[in-house]
């Protein structure tokens, strides 16, 4: 069977587009980029206020303009761009079932890269109590209302969560005639780092830390949110919307429904130091690997994995047996979580990326074949990236393990 | 701009049906096919505004229904008619079969009696199995399974398209559907004058199919209450489509006196649901979900099918059963006033609806009313939403895919909005198309849906100029 392309990339966000261009630059041959939306750009398309592109293009772009710049660059690089193409199933082994307005087709490639990004968790997945009225949305949804349709889902929302994206949410509200009534965070501290963490209060939005949402009320539209404050007092805020921010999760349905599956820690596909998944013909990059990073990070990651993929195209696929990187709580995830002896030789990942489940102080160490090769003692915060260099020769090790010890 | 039909005050209908739940929709169809001039009166902005919007979607055989009961007869009749008409209406049937699972010796000891009752109820495709045998038919079940009964003919259907099909067929025969029309009072003086929140309706006969308000509507029609609705809430969690591969069958527990218990069940849409609970409450409208209960359901689901532990939650919901102080259906006929009450259709109404409709028509025959002349069923085929069959996105020229999680096309959404029984609220649009029902719950498509439905839904998704009607 002759393949449709040398490489098919799924997802036209920063990671997928960067990968496509890099592959073309490295002479990968026929590179097809599949994107289900009508335009490239991914999640950056609706971030109307935040700057993108400084590192990639040496100038600042806002939202959709960044997507258009990506599209132009990719077309110039000779990428076969197919928007309005949704991958319905990934069969592994380089085979994809693709739906478009023309119907369904099966496409094949020598290698596949999946870069389908991440999204915020909906109310259902957070198991929040209460009614199920209209007006409970995520930041991504709010920004799509504003950026694509000039609409607003509410006027007086309560904001849930304090990751960086919550600040983006507040800004979108304030610039579009909505007045956030409060910000609720379940952790005892803001998740966004200072100085960003000061922003809500500066914008006049009361912040309640260490809260627990008791329920959301409303029969048609949202009418109120009830929560328990850190001091135990219950409070009800009448509002017309609830904005659920952050708690990102990889958009990994294609993996969940395939033989490859997902890594239980990251909820994205497990990858090795080249971005290769358990299926040696399939690579992955960008926010799909772990939620969540910035647009610029996703872009660079896409390009780095594409470099390794280009090298991989030159020889037979590597055998599949990798070594798994192990760790335990409070480490939430490690990317890459696999190491393969037969890598590309020029790994896409020079560092392990770690995340913690909650704020802890202690000593994080890395052991290779039982020998400690790296350690650091400090405070670690949830939803913040921790980088640990992948030691020379780690890919040949029999065991790679992260340990964490609290002092005392 | 919402399409509500002004009541035709001068028209005299043969039958007025109160309540557009699954029962009311089925009754409307049955009377329309019998040749009656039908009006269906619903207080909500769409059909399925009450109990019928949230259930387990199982087409029951009646194997565990009370022996000799009217409920058993009507489940069997309803199920038989569904199987008979479903192909014509393009309604799905997911032939899963069910396993009644015993997780300890005490439960296993009850299986023999359950099987005997099933056989006495006329359901012969029943098989007692060891845990190991049952697991060969569904390897995802926990090894802790002790024994099971296989009930081959318990199946899963699309619980929303079925009633929509019934009403669509009735409307094709000229039945009127009045929404946002609450029955406030009925007076009988040779014929019925029904006062609704949008005007009066005249009819020769009336059928009360008001579900959770069955007792209230009986009182509003001037009858001394014969029963009292005691809502019983059931909460559910719906798991990601990846779970579907692990749950090819309906997994039932050994029932207790009050409830059929927590079921793990595939859906026609390719998900898996875990639920329902059984919680008594006074409120007839609000069906809230509760964190602790949802967590407990997830835990229970993972005990039954261990692979479910890692599955993300797609949706959570709760429904209210129109239970009453008795286990039996509360069906009353009052020939003098030409009135029928189909009340207390607690937990089997989806299966029994078509049977209940046949029963209502037969009760109506005893009424002093002009004879009805049956008509040919008009051809009506509903759009398929079941994953087990071809969907619109798999066929050319659908425009584009709007909801990516559920693969809902622009053509499907536009067709629903332009249909004979268009959605009146966002829930109605979701039930007709599945848009926004998937794992992202609208992260990607909700804004687009807000734009496509502007001015067409009772509660608009966007505030401001899109609001209201
Ligand atoms: C609300 C919000 C605010 C943000 N704010 C900022 C910010 O201020 N600054 C910043 O730097 N970053 C921000 N980000 C993050 C930034 O947008 C992401 O890091 C970046 O877009 C990730 O790139 P990606 O290519 O990995 O994925 P995405 O950009 O998510 O792109 C994935 C693409 O894959 C497509 N896709 C998914 N599944 C399929 C399929 N089956 N078939 C075909 N195509 C598919 C999607 O349509 C999408 O276009 C924000 C993100 C969100 C959601
Ligand atoms: C958790 C749960 C799980 C279930 N699982 C199953 C299953 O797997 N299989 C099965 O067969 N059955 C199942 N059922 C049962 C089934 O859903 C019910 O039996 C059925 O929905 C009852 O339908 P109904 O038409 O009688 O009532 P409803 O659906 O409540 O319909 C009544 C309608 O009347 C309207 N109304 C009320 N008052 C007025 C008024 N004054 N004027 C105008 N309109 C009015 C309401 O708005 C409503 O739309 C389940 C039920 C629940 C709750």
């Amino acid at each position: 069977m002759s393949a449709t392309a040398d490489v098919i990339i799924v997802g036209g966000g920063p990671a997928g587009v960067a990968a496509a261009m890099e592959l073309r630059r490295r002479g990968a041959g026929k590179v097809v980029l599949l994107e289900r939306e009508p335009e490239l750009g991914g999640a950056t398309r609706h971030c109307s206020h935040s700057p993108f592109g400084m590192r990639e293009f040496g100038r600042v772009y806002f939202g959709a303009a960044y997507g258009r710049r990506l599209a132009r660059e990719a077309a110039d690089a000779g990428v076969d761009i197919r928007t309005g193409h949704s991958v319905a199933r990934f069969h592994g082994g380089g085979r994809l079932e693709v739906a478009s307005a023309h119907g369904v087709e099966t496409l094949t490639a020598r290698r596949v890269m999946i870069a389908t990004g991440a999204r915020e968790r909906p109310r259902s997945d957070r198991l929040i109590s209460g009614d199920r009225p209209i007006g409970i949305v995520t930041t991504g949804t709010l920004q799509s209302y504003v950026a694509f349709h000039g609409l607003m889902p509410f006027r007086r929302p309560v904001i849930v969560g304090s990751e960086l994206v919550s600040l983006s949410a507040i800004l979108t509200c304030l610039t579009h005639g909505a007045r956030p009534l409060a910000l609720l965070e379940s952790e005892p501290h803001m998740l966004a780092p200072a100085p960003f963490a000061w922003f809500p209060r500066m914008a006049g939005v009361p912040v309640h830390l260490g809260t627990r949402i008791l329920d959301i009320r409303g029969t048609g539209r949202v009418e109120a949110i009830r929560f328990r404050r850190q001091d135990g007092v219950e409070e009800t805020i009448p509002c017309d919307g609830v904005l659920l921010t952050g708690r990102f999760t990889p958009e990994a349905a294609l993996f969940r429904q395939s033989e490859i599956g997902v890594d239980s820690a990251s909820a994205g596909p497990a990858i090795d130091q080249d971005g290769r998944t358990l299926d040696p013909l399939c690579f992955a990059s960008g926010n799909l690997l772990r939620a969540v990073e910035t647009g610029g990070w996703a872009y660079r990651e896409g390009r780095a994995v594409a470099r390794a993929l280009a090298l991989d195209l030159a020889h037979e696929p590597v055998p599949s047996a990798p070594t798994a990187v192990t760790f335990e709580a409070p480490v939430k995830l490690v990317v890459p979580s696999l190491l393969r002896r037969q890598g590309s030789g020029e790994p896409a990942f020079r560092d392990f990326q770690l995340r913690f489940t909650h704020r802890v102080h202690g000593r994080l160490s890395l052991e290779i074949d039982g020998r400690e090769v790296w350690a650091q003692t400090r405070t670690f915060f949830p939803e913040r990236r921790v980088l640990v260099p992948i030691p020379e020769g780690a890919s040949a090790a029999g065991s790679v393990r992260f340990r964490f010890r609290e002092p005392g | 701009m919402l399409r509500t039909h002004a009541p035709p005050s001068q028209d005299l209908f043969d039958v007025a049906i109160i309540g557009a739940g699954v029962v009311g929709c089925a009754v409307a169809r049955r009377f329309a096919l019998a040749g009656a001039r039908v009006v269906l009166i619903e207080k909500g902005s769409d059909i399925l505004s009450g109990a019928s919007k949230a259930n387990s979607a199982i087409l029951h055989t009646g194997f565990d229904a009370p022996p000799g009961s009217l409920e058993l007869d009507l489940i069997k009749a309803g199920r038989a008619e569904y199987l008979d008409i479903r192909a014509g209406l393009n309604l799905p049937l997911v032939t899963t079969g069910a396993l009644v699972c015993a997780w300890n010796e005490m439960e296993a000891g009850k299986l023999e009696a359950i099987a005997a009752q099933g056989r006495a109820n006329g359901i012969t495709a029943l098989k007692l199995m060891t845990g190991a045998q049952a697991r060969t038919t569904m390897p995802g079940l926990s090894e802790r399974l002790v024994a099971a009964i296989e009930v081959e003919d318990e199946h899963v259907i699309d619980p929303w398209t079925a009633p929509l099909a019934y009403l669509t067929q009735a409307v094709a025969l000229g039945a009127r559907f009045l929404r946002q029309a609450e029955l406030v009072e009925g007076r009988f003086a040779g014929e019925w004058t029904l006062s609704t929140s949008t005007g009066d309706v005249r009819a020769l006969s009336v059928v009360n199919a008001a579900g959770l308000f069955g007792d209230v509507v009986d009182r509003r029609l001037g009858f001394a209450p014969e029963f009292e609705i005691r809502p019983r809430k059931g909460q559910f969690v719906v798991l990601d489509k990846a779970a579907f591969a692990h749950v090819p069958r309906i997994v039932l527990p050994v029932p207790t006196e009050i409830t059929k218990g927590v079921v793990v069940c595939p859906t026609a849409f390719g998900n898996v649901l875990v639920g329902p609970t059984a919680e008594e409450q006074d409120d007839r409208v609000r069906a809230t979900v509760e964190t602790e209960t949802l967590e407990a359901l997830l835990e229970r689901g993972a005990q039954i099918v261990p692979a479910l532990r890692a599955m993300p939650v797609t949706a959570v919901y709760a429904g209210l059963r129109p239970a009453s102080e008795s286990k039996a259906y509360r069906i009353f006929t009052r020939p003098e006033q030409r009135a029928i009450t189909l009340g207390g259709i607690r937990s089997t109404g989806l299966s029994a609806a078509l049977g209940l409709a046949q029963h209502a028509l037969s009760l109506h025959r005893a009424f002093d009313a002009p004879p009805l002349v049956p008509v040919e069923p008009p051809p009506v085929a509903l759009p398929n939403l079941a994953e087990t069959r071809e969907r619109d996105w798999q066929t050319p020229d659908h425009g584009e895919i709007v909801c990516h999680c559920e693969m809902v096309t622009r053509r499907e959404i536009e067709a629903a909005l332009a249909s004979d029984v268009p959605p009146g609220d966002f829930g109605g649009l979701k039930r007709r198309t599945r848009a926004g029902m998937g794992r992202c719950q609208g992260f990607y498509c909700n804004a687009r849906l807000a734009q496509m439905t502007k001015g067409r839904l009772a509660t608009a998704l966007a505030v401001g100029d899109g609001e209201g009607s």
Side-chain angles (χ1 to χ4, degrees):
Chain A
M1 185 173 55
S2 75
T4 317
D6 292 288
V7 185
I8 294 177
I9 297 168
V10 185
V17 176
M21 292 193 289
E22 185 66 19
L23 282 162
R24 286 290 303 155
R25 213 171 287 138
R26 295 189 175 244
K30 187 165 164 84
V31 177
V32 173
L33 177 60
L34 303 175
E35 166 56 52
R36 63 191 184 184
E37 294 292 336
E39 271 142 82
L40 298 186
T44 66
R45 287 198 307 139
H46 51 67
C47 307
S48 46
H49 54 275
S50 41
F52 294 95
M54 235 2 248
R55 296 218 209 188
E56 302 90 290
F57 303 125
R59 58 161 285 195
V60 167
Y61 285 94
F62 290 91
Y66 177 76
R68 285 194 291 276
R69 172 76 192 252
L70 289 180
R72 219 164 40 239
E73 296 272 330
D76 289 348
V79 176
D80 178 350
I81 303 169
R82 302 186 192 176
T83 52
H85 280 62
S86 184
V87 177
R89 277 274 190 286
F90 175 45
H91 298 291
R95 272 178 65 234
L96 301 159
E97 195 183 319
V98 183
S100 69
H102 316 298
V104 184
E105 57 190 331
T106 300
L107 301 185
T108 57
R110 294 169 58 212
R111 300 287 187 282
V112 168
M113 178 191 285
I114 304 203
T116 45
R119 59 176 162 80
E120 291 159 293
R121 283 210 166 84
R123 179 263 176 88
S124 53
D125 198 24
R126 301 173 188 228
L127 305 183
I128 297 173
S129 296
D131 299 317
R132 286 159 299 123
I134 302 265
I136 308 174
V137 302
T138 54
T139 319
T141 305
L142 167 70
Q143 293 182 344
S144 310
Y145 267 75
V146 169
F148 303 150
H149 307 294
L151 298 172
M152 276 300 277
F154 40 54
R155 290 280 175 235
R156 298 172 72 74
V158 166
I159 299 191
V160 176
S162 71
E163 292 172 46
L164 261 180
V165 68
S166 68
L167 314 183
S168 172
I170 292 175
L171 210 56
T172 305
C173 287
L174 294 178
T175 51
H176 293 84
R179 174 106 210 96
L181 301 178
L183 183 149
L184 310 182
E185 168 57 54
S186 58
E187 294 293 318
H189 54 87
M190 292 288 283
L191 295 180
F196 301 107
W198 305 331
F199 174 70
R201 285 193 171 101
M202 280 162 52
V205 179
V207 171
H208 300 272
L209 298 173
T211 57
R212 181 178 156 74
I213 298 173
L214 297 174
D215 66 8
I216 297 173
R217 292 176 177 224
T219 42
R221 177 173 299 287
V222 172
E223 288 158 18
I225 186 166
R226 205 164 57 90
F227 60 98
R228 184 177 299 120
R229 296 194 322 224
Q230 198 158 23
D231 60 13
V233 176
E234 282 184 19
E235 198 170 316
T236 300
I237 302 181
C239 55
D240 71 348
V242 175
L243 182 53
L244 301 172
T245 72
R247 304 270 306 264
F248 282 85
T249 187
E251 181 62 20
L254 293 176
F255 286 98
R256 266 186 206 284
Q257 288 178 274
S258 79
E259 297 275 290
I260 306 173
V262 298
D263 180 299
S264 60
S266 70
I271 52 150
D272 67 17
Q273 70 273 23
D274 290 334
R276 193 186 287 103
T277 66
L278 287 168
D279 172 358
L281 300 185
C282 175
F283 289 67
S285 71
N287 275 344
L288 166 67
L289 299 180
R290 113 266 70 208
V292 57
E293 284 286 356
T294 62
W297 184 275
Y299 188 93
R300 289 192 296 284
E301 209 164 59
R303 199 165 60 185
V305 172
R307 265 198 307 272
L309 199 165
L311 291 171
D312 197 67
L313 275 173
H315 52 73
E316 287 294 298
V318 303
S320 55
T323 301
V325 179
T326 57
F327 57 90
E328 59 220 26
V331 176
K332 180 179 165 192
L333 61 88
V334 177
V335 170
S337 62
L338 307 174
L339 292 173
R340 275 191 177 88
R341 206 180 286 265
Q342 319 80 351
S344 64
E346 268 185 62
F349 293 83
R350 305 272 171 193
D351 300 301
F352 288 113
Q353 305 171 22
L354 281 73
R355 299 277 171 120
F356 279 75
T357 53
H358 58 277
R359 182 168 66 179
V360 278
H361 182 82
R363 184 171 187 277
L364 177 70
S365 64
L366 172 62
E367 289 174 6
I368 305 270
D369 288 330
R371 199 169 54 82
E372 183 173 299
V373 297
W374 179 96
Q376 208 173 68
T377 302
R378 64 178 175 93
T379 304
F380 297 90
F381 292 88
E383 300 311 330
R384 303 230 194 121
R385 164 202 325 141
V386 177
L387 295 180
V388 177
I390 302 178
E392 197 74 34
S395 62
S399 96
V400 181
R401 174 173 180 182
F402 280 97
R403 278 175 176 282
F404 183 82
R405 289 282 171 271
E406 289 190 56
Chain B
M1 253 193 286
L2 179 67
R3 282 213 251 158
T4 49
H5 307 276
S9 54
Q10 59 278 55
D11 293 0
L12 177 65
F13 292 94
D14 290 308
V15 191
I17 300 151
I18 320 296
V22 63
V23 175
C25 290
V27 172
R29 169 180 172 276
R30 178 45 56 203
F31 276 93
L33 289 172
R37 289 162 299 161
V38 171
V39 59
L40 178 60
I41 298 169
E42 168 58 48
K43 71 174 173 186
S45 39
D46 204 348
I47 64 167
L48 315 186
S49 292
S52 304
K53 70 174 161 234
N55 56 51
S56 317
I58 301 172
L59 184 67
H60 293 297
T61 55
F63 81 94
D64 56 352
S69 64
L70 181 60
E71 177 178 8
L72 172 61
D73 289 347
L74 298 185
I75 291 173
K76 288 166 97 172
R79 175 193 157 79
E81 185 172 355
Y82 181 86
L83 296 179
D84 194 39
I85 65 174
R86 71 166 195 92
L89 296 172
N90 196 32
L91 297 174
L93 182 75
V94 191
T95 54
T96 53
L99 292 169
V100 182
C101 290
W103 297 101
N104 55 46
E105 290 304 330
M106 198 186 73
E107 288 178 356
K110 294 183 179 170
L111 291 184
E112 195 67 63
I114 293 171
Q117 180 188 337
R119 289 194 193 94
N121 284 355
I123 287 78
T124 48
L126 285 178
K127 205 152 75 190
L128 273 163
M129 293 178 159
T130 64
Q133 282 167 336
R135 292 180 65 242
T136 61
T137 76
M138 180 172 160
L141 281 168
S142 161
E143 291 174 13
R144 293 173 25 259
L145 184 65
V146 176
I149 305 173
E150 179 185 65
V151 191
E152 218 177 280
D153 297 329
E154 292 274 306
H155 297 320
V156 167
I157 64 175
D158 172 345
W160 302 307
T161 306
L164 179 64
Y166 307 157
L167 180 57
T168 303
Q169 207 169 30
V171 167
L173 287 168
R176 302 291 301 270
F177 173 42
L178 308 181
R179 39 179 120 194
Q180 291 177 324
E182 175 172 355
L183 176 95
V184 186
E185 192 191 16
R187 288 174 307 277
F188 182 77
E191 65 181 50
W192 281 97
T193 302
L194 302 167
S195 305
T196 79
S197 50
T198 55
D200 285 0
V201 177
R202 289 164 57 226
L204 292 175
S205 306
V206 63
V207 179
N208 169 3
L212 291 156
F213 291 83
D215 52 350
V216 173
V217 165
D218 257 10
R219 248 177 282 133
R220 290 183 181 182
L221 293 174
F223 301 128
E226 305 251 12
F227 65 106
E228 188 197 338
I229 291 293
R230 297 187 181 161
R232 190 175 298 150
K233 181 167 79 177
Q235 302 186 47
F236 292 93
V237 247
V238 181
L239 300 174
D240 191 81
K241 289 186 192 299
F244 188 73
H246 303 283
V247 184
R249 322 203 71 178
I250 303 165
V251 184
L252 304 168
V254 172
T256 67
E257 264 307 292
I258 33 168
T259 161
K260 288 184 188 296
V262 173
V263 177
V264 176
C265 182
T267 73
F269 317 111
N271 297 90
V272 167
L273 51 86
V274 183
T277 54
E279 307 163 58
E280 308 263 353
Q281 66 175 44
D282 292 330
D283 197 308
R284 299 170 186 235
V285 177
R286 290 185 64 202
T288 57
V289 292
E290 276 103 39
T291 307
E292 292 74 21
T293 310
L294 300 173
E295 281 167 353
L297 285 174
L298 286 174
E299 181 55 35
R300 185 75 197 114
Q303 284 168 5
I304 295 169
V305 180
L308 298 186
R309 194 169 293 284
M311 291 298 162
V313 172
T314 292
V316 296
Y317 66 98
L320 299 177
R321 302 173 186 85
S324 70
E325 68 277 31
S326 152
K327 278 181 94 166
Y329 284 180
R330 313 312 301 273
I331 297 181
F332 304 96
T333 180
R334 297 167 176 105
E336 302 295 283
Q337 292 101 335
R338 292 194 296 271
I340 297 165
T341 299
L342 304 173
I345 315 300
R346 189 171 43 115
S347 53
T348 48
L350 180 65
S351 311
L354 295 167
L356 280 154
Q358 293 171 16
H359 187 61
L361 182 64
S362 73
L363 294 173
H364 180 269
R365 291 215 177 86
F367 292 178
D368 173 24
L372 300 174
V373 184
V375 295
E376 274 299 302
V380 162
L382 274 285
N384 170 57
L385 300 178
E387 291 267 300
T388 45
R389 301 159 66 206
E390 187 171 73
R391 294 268 314 273
D392 194 50
W393 64 270
Q394 291 161 307
T395 65
D397 303 321
H398 55 63
E400 71 191 283
I401 294 166
V402 173
C403 164
H404 298 292
C405 302
E406 294 295 316
M407 301 295 265
V408 182
T409 68
R410 193 173 75 210
R411 179 168 61 188
E412 285 176 298
I413 294 169
E414 285 170 352
L417 291 170
S419 66
D420 287 345
V421 187
D425 49 38
F426 186 50
L429 179 70
K430 288 162 79 176
R431 292 192 289 271
R432 280 173 186 72
T433 63
R434 299 212 42 79
M437 291 269 220
R439 60 178 69 83
C440 88
Q441 293 282 298
F443 178 87
Y444 295 109
C445 73
N446 186 274
R448 182 73 194 287
L449 296 173
Q451 179 244 338
M452 290 181 81
T453 56
K454 238 175 133 177
R456 311 184 73 145
L457 305 178
T459 304
L461 293 176
V463 295
D465 42 32
E467 181 91 75
S469 55

